[in-house]
Amino acid sequence: MKESVYKSYEELPLFLNARIVAQVLGIAPSSAYELMHESNFPVLKVGSRMVVPKEKFIQWVERNTGGDS
């Protein structure tokens, strides 16, 4: 497992792309793209781009880990 380059949520940008999602979760970029295509993942489509609002991402992490990280 890769180690996240981000140490706190405050360091994250307002919107996350697949590369940042991968870095935060410590997964491969291809896995982040797969995750962003799942129906329960909070993706905002802007034209052909997919981004994840920071606050929605934090909520998703907390919901899926059962804790406050």
Side-chain angles (χ1 to χ4, degrees):
M1 175 186 229
K2 297 179 181 182
E3 184 176 330
S4 174
V5 298
Y6 297 97
K7 302 302 178 196
S8 72
Y9 289 137
E10 289 78 28
E11 296 177 11
L12 296 175
L14 188 57
F15 292 95
L16 292 67
N17 60 24
R19 180 184 56 80
I20 295 172
V21 169
Q23 289 174 339
V24 171
L25 296 177
I27 61 176
S30 59
S31 296
Y33 280 109
E34 287 180 27
L35 183 60
M36 291 174 74
H37 281 91
E38 290 188 10
S39 62
N40 69 335
F41 197 76
V43 173
L44 173 64
K45 293 185 180 181
V46 181
S48 61
R49 274 193 77 184
M50 293 175 21
V51 294
V52 182
K54 174 182 176 175
E55 294 304 319
K56 296 291 185 184
F57 176 75
I58 293 168
Q59 291 170 3
W60 179 87
V61 169
E62 290 176 352
R63 255 192 335 269
N64 286 280
T65 59
D68 298 304
S69 297

